[in-house]
Short mmCIF file of all heavy atoms in Angstrom, two decimals:
data_model
loop_
_atom_site.label_atom_id
_atom_site.label_comp_id
_atom_site.label_asym_id
_atom_site.label_seq_id
_atom_site.Cartn_x
_atom_site.Cartn_y
_atom_site.Cartn_z
N LEU P 1 11.56 -3.72 -2.21
CA LEU P 1 10.11 -3.99 -2.46
C LEU P 1 9.19 -3.67 -1.25
O LEU P 1 8.15 -3.07 -1.41
CB LEU P 1 9.94 -5.56 -2.89
CG LEU P 1 8.60 -6.00 -3.24
CD1 LEU P 1 8.76 -6.90 -4.44
CD2 LEU P 1 7.87 -6.50 -2.00
N PHE P 2 9.66 -4.11 -0.01
CA PHE P 2 8.77 -3.88 1.14
C PHE P 2 8.74 -2.35 1.49
O PHE P 2 7.58 -1.90 1.81
CB PHE P 2 9.32 -4.61 2.38
CG PHE P 2 8.96 -6.06 2.43
CD1 PHE P 2 9.61 -7.04 1.66
CD2 PHE P 2 8.02 -6.39 3.26
CE1 PHE P 2 9.17 -8.33 1.78
CE2 PHE P 2 7.57 -7.76 3.50
CZ PHE P 2 8.20 -8.73 2.66
N ALA P 3 9.77 -1.74 1.10
CA ALA P 3 9.67 -0.23 1.43
C ALA P 3 8.74 0.46 0.34
O ALA P 3 8.09 1.50 0.83
CB ALA P 3 11.09 0.37 1.20
N ALA P 4 8.60 -0.03 -0.76
CA ALA P 4 7.83 0.72 -1.75
C ALA P 4 6.35 0.29 -1.85
O ALA P 4 5.45 1.07 -2.17
CB ALA P 4 8.43 0.49 -3.09
N ALA P 5 6.06 -0.93 -1.44
CA ALA P 5 4.70 -1.47 -1.70
C ALA P 5 3.65 -1.11 -0.62
O ALA P 5 4.03 -0.98 0.51
CB ALA P 5 4.70 -3.02 -1.77
N ASP P 6 2.44 -0.85 -1.06
CA ASP P 6 1.27 -0.52 -0.19
C ASP P 6 0.70 -1.90 0.10
O ASP P 6 0.15 -2.00 1.29
CB ASP P 6 0.31 0.31 -0.85
CG ASP P 6 0.80 1.54 -1.44
OD1 ASP P 6 1.49 2.35 -0.72
OD2 ASP P 6 0.62 1.84 -2.65
N LEU P 7 0.70 -2.88 -0.74
CA LEU P 7 0.09 -4.10 -0.53
C LEU P 7 1.07 -5.27 -0.82
O LEU P 7 1.59 -5.28 -1.91
CB LEU P 7 -1.20 -4.29 -1.51
CG LEU P 7 -1.77 -5.63 -1.66
CD1 LEU P 7 -2.31 -6.18 -0.29
CD2 LEU P 7 -2.98 -5.56 -2.71
N ILE P 8 1.31 -6.16 0.10
CA ILE P 8 2.35 -7.13 -0.07
C ILE P 8 1.55 -8.48 -0.36
O ILE P 8 0.74 -8.77 0.54
CB ILE P 8 3.32 -7.36 1.15
CG1 ILE P 8 3.99 -6.08 1.41
CG2 ILE P 8 4.18 -8.59 0.98
CD1 ILE P 8 5.19 -5.86 0.41
N VAL P 9 1.84 -9.19 -1.36
CA VAL P 9 1.18 -10.38 -1.69
C VAL P 9 2.18 -11.59 -1.68
O VAL P 9 3.22 -11.51 -2.38
CB VAL P 9 0.58 -10.36 -3.18
CG1 VAL P 9 -0.15 -11.60 -3.46
CG2 VAL P 9 -0.46 -9.26 -3.27
N LYS P 10 1.93 -12.53 -0.86
CA LYS P 10 2.91 -13.61 -0.63
C LYS P 10 2.15 -14.96 -0.75
O LYS P 10 0.98 -14.99 -0.92
CB LYS P 10 3.62 -13.45 0.66
CG LYS P 10 4.78 -12.48 0.76
CD LYS P 10 5.42 -12.24 2.22
CE LYS P 10 5.71 -13.66 2.78
NZ LYS P 10 6.57 -14.57 2.08
N VAL P 11 2.90 -15.99 -0.34
CA VAL P 11 2.37 -17.37 -0.27
C VAL P 11 2.39 -17.78 1.26
O VAL P 11 1.28 -17.91 1.90
CB VAL P 11 3.08 -18.40 -1.09
CG1 VAL P 11 2.38 -19.84 -0.86
CG2 VAL P 11 2.99 -17.97 -2.60
N LYS P 12 3.58 -17.89 1.81
CA LYS P 12 3.74 -18.36 3.18
C LYS P 12 3.81 -17.14 4.18
O LYS P 12 4.11 -15.98 3.74
CB LYS P 12 5.04 -19.29 3.26
CG LYS P 12 4.98 -20.51 2.55
CD LYS P 12 3.74 -21.31 3.02
CE LYS P 12 3.84 -21.84 4.42
NZ LYS P 12 2.57 -22.62 4.78
N GLU P 13 3.71 -17.49 5.37
CA GLU P 13 3.66 -16.39 6.41
C GLU P 13 5.06 -15.68 6.37
O GLU P 13 6.09 -16.37 6.06
CB GLU P 13 3.53 -17.08 7.85
CG GLU P 13 4.68 -18.02 8.21
CD GLU P 13 4.67 -19.35 7.68
OE1 GLU P 13 3.81 -19.68 6.88
OE2 GLU P 13 5.72 -20.11 8.02
N PRO P 14 5.04 -14.49 6.64
CA PRO P 14 6.31 -13.70 6.65
C PRO P 14 7.33 -14.23 7.58
O PRO P 14 7.03 -14.56 8.83
CB PRO P 14 5.93 -12.24 6.98
CG PRO P 14 4.56 -12.38 7.68
CD PRO P 14 3.98 -13.57 7.13
N GLN P 15 8.62 -14.52 7.25
CA GLN P 15 9.59 -14.93 8.10
C GLN P 15 10.00 -13.69 8.93
O GLN P 15 9.72 -12.53 8.79
CB GLN P 15 10.79 -15.45 7.30
CG GLN P 15 10.27 -16.64 6.39
CD GLN P 15 9.67 -17.85 7.12
OE1 GLN P 15 10.26 -18.61 7.85
NE2 GLN P 15 8.34 -17.98 6.95
N ALA P 16 10.86 -14.08 10.01
CA ALA P 16 11.18 -12.99 10.98
C ALA P 16 11.88 -11.84 10.36
O ALA P 16 11.47 -10.64 10.63
CB ALA P 16 12.24 -13.58 12.00
N VAL P 17 12.77 -12.00 9.34
CA VAL P 17 13.41 -10.88 8.67
C VAL P 17 12.31 -10.11 7.82
O VAL P 17 12.47 -8.82 7.80
CB VAL P 17 14.53 -11.37 7.84
CG1 VAL P 17 14.08 -12.24 6.58
CG2 VAL P 17 15.39 -10.25 7.24
N GLU P 18 11.41 -10.74 7.31
CA GLU P 18 10.35 -10.01 6.60
C GLU P 18 9.43 -9.25 7.50
O GLU P 18 9.00 -8.14 7.18
CB GLU P 18 9.63 -11.04 5.74
CG GLU P 18 10.34 -11.73 4.61
CD GLU P 18 9.58 -12.87 3.89
OE1 GLU P 18 8.96 -13.66 4.61
OE2 GLU P 18 9.53 -12.79 2.70
N ARG P 19 9.08 -9.81 8.69
CA ARG P 19 8.31 -9.15 9.49
C ARG P 19 8.78 -7.84 10.01
O ARG P 19 8.09 -6.82 10.31
CB ARG P 19 8.01 -9.99 10.73
CG ARG P 19 7.20 -11.31 10.31
CD ARG P 19 6.51 -12.06 11.43
NE ARG P 19 7.46 -12.54 12.46
CZ ARG P 19 7.94 -13.79 12.50
NH1 ARG P 19 7.70 -14.66 11.46
NH2 ARG P 19 8.74 -14.28 13.55
N ARG P 20 10.18 -7.76 10.13
CA ARG P 20 10.78 -6.51 10.49
C ARG P 20 10.68 -5.32 9.46
O ARG P 20 10.91 -4.26 9.74
CB ARG P 20 12.23 -6.78 10.84
CG ARG P 20 12.43 -7.60 12.12
CD ARG P 20 13.90 -7.49 12.64
NE ARG P 20 14.80 -8.30 11.76
CZ ARG P 20 15.11 -9.59 11.85
NH1 ARG P 20 14.52 -10.28 12.83
NH2 ARG P 20 15.86 -10.10 11.05
N ARG P 21 10.34 -5.83 8.17
CA ARG P 21 10.16 -4.90 7.17
C ARG P 21 8.75 -4.28 7.09
O ARG P 21 8.51 -3.44 6.23
CB ARG P 21 10.61 -5.46 5.81
CG ARG P 21 12.04 -5.92 5.82
CD ARG P 21 12.36 -6.72 4.64
NE ARG P 21 13.69 -7.06 4.53
CZ ARG P 21 14.24 -8.29 4.05
NH1 ARG P 21 13.39 -9.00 3.51
NH2 ARG P 21 15.53 -8.44 4.06
N LEU P 22 7.86 -4.92 7.73
CA LEU P 22 6.37 -4.46 7.57
C LEU P 22 6.16 -3.16 8.49
O LEU P 22 6.88 -2.88 9.38
CB LEU P 22 5.42 -5.62 8.12
CG LEU P 22 5.46 -6.86 7.38
CD1 LEU P 22 4.82 -8.05 8.09
CD2 LEU P 22 4.92 -6.64 5.96
N ARG P 23 5.14 -2.50 8.01
CA ARG P 23 4.83 -1.23 8.73
C ARG P 23 3.35 -1.01 8.83
O ARG P 23 2.48 -1.53 8.07
CB ARG P 23 5.54 0.02 7.96
CG ARG P 23 4.95 0.21 6.65
CD ARG P 23 5.70 1.28 5.92
NE ARG P 23 5.15 1.59 4.57
CZ ARG P 23 5.37 0.97 3.39
NH1 ARG P 23 6.27 -0.03 3.48
NH2 ARG P 23 4.77 1.23 2.38
N ALA P 24 2.92 0.01 9.74
CA ALA P 24 1.59 0.42 9.82
C ALA P 24 1.16 1.03 8.54
O ALA P 24 1.91 1.73 7.98
CB ALA P 24 1.47 1.35 11.04
N GLY P 25 -0.10 0.75 8.17
CA GLY P 25 -0.71 1.27 6.99
C GLY P 25 -0.42 0.39 5.75
O GLY P 25 -1.10 0.49 4.76
N GLN P 26 0.48 -0.54 5.86
CA GLN P 26 0.75 -1.52 4.85
C GLN P 26 -0.39 -2.66 4.97
O GLN P 26 -0.73 -3.05 6.09
CB GLN P 26 2.02 -2.00 4.97
CG GLN P 26 2.67 -2.64 3.64
CD GLN P 26 4.20 -2.87 3.85
OE1 GLN P 26 4.68 -3.28 4.90
NE2 GLN P 26 4.98 -2.40 2.93
N VAL P 27 -0.66 -3.30 3.89
CA VAL P 27 -1.58 -4.54 3.86
C VAL P 27 -0.78 -5.69 3.45
O VAL P 27 -0.03 -5.73 2.42
CB VAL P 27 -2.75 -4.25 2.86
CG1 VAL P 27 -3.66 -5.50 2.94
CG2 VAL P 27 -3.55 -3.06 3.37
N LEU P 28 -0.90 -6.74 4.15
CA LEU P 28 -0.24 -8.09 3.96
C LEU P 28 -1.30 -9.07 3.59
O LEU P 28 -2.31 -9.31 4.36
CB LEU P 28 0.59 -8.50 5.13
CG LEU P 28 1.10 -9.96 5.03
CD1 LEU P 28 2.16 -9.97 3.97
CD2 LEU P 28 1.73 -10.25 6.44
N PHE P 29 -1.27 -9.79 2.49
CA PHE P 29 -2.16 -10.66 1.98
C PHE P 29 -1.44 -12.06 1.68
O PHE P 29 -0.73 -12.10 0.58
CB PHE P 29 -2.84 -10.20 0.69
CG PHE P 29 -4.06 -10.92 0.21
CD1 PHE P 29 -5.02 -11.28 1.17
CD2 PHE P 29 -4.31 -11.00 -1.11
CE1 PHE P 29 -6.20 -12.03 0.75
CE2 PHE P 29 -5.44 -11.65 -1.53
CZ PHE P 29 -6.40 -12.15 -0.67
N THR P 30 -1.63 -12.92 2.49
CA THR P 30 -0.93 -14.27 2.55
C THR P 30 -1.49 -15.19 3.35
O THR P 30 -2.43 -15.03 4.06
CB THR P 30 0.51 -13.98 2.86
OG1 THR P 30 1.33 -15.12 2.50
CG2 THR P 30 0.76 -13.64 4.27
N TYR P 31 -0.98 -16.49 3.40
CA TYR P 31 -1.26 -17.46 4.44
C TYR P 31 -0.57 -16.99 5.67
O TYR P 31 0.59 -16.64 5.61
CB TYR P 31 -0.74 -18.82 3.97
CG TYR P 31 -1.64 -19.49 2.87
CD1 TYR P 31 -1.06 -19.78 1.75
CD2 TYR P 31 -2.91 -19.88 3.21
CE1 TYR P 31 -1.87 -20.42 0.70
CE2 TYR P 31 -3.61 -20.43 2.23
CZ TYR P 31 -3.15 -20.79 1.01
OH TYR P 31 -3.91 -21.36 0.03
N LEU P 32 -1.21 -17.15 6.84
CA LEU P 32 -0.61 -16.72 8.05
C LEU P 32 -0.52 -17.94 9.11
O LEU P 32 0.55 -17.99 9.79
CB LEU P 32 -1.31 -15.55 8.74
CG LEU P 32 -1.26 -14.24 8.07
CD1 LEU P 32 -2.16 -13.15 8.64
CD2 LEU P 32 0.25 -13.78 7.99
N HIS P 33 -1.56 -18.65 9.30
CA HIS P 33 -1.65 -19.69 10.36
C HIS P 33 -1.12 -19.09 11.66
O HIS P 33 -0.14 -19.68 12.15
CB HIS P 33 -0.85 -20.89 9.79
CG HIS P 33 -1.28 -21.41 8.47
ND1 HIS P 33 -2.57 -22.04 8.29
CD2 HIS P 33 -0.83 -21.42 7.14
CE1 HIS P 33 -2.66 -22.37 7.06
NE2 HIS P 33 -1.58 -21.89 6.38
N LEU P 34 -1.83 -18.17 12.30
CA LEU P 34 -1.25 -17.63 13.52
C LEU P 34 -1.45 -18.43 14.78
O LEU P 34 -0.72 -18.33 15.67
CB LEU P 34 -1.89 -16.27 13.69
CG LEU P 34 -1.60 -15.16 12.59
CD1 LEU P 34 -2.36 -13.82 12.97
CD2 LEU P 34 -0.19 -14.91 12.54
N ALA P 35 -2.48 -19.14 14.79
CA ALA P 35 -2.90 -19.90 15.99
C ALA P 35 -1.76 -20.60 16.68
O ALA P 35 -1.46 -20.54 17.95
CB ALA P 35 -4.06 -20.87 15.85
#
């Protein structure tokens, strides 16, 4: 799924294993709570 999608839609912040699947040019739309 991560390899194919242009736009990733989630609920919670991406976990470590998910973050390793993200790439430049991809859009992630989810809760992040980065602070």
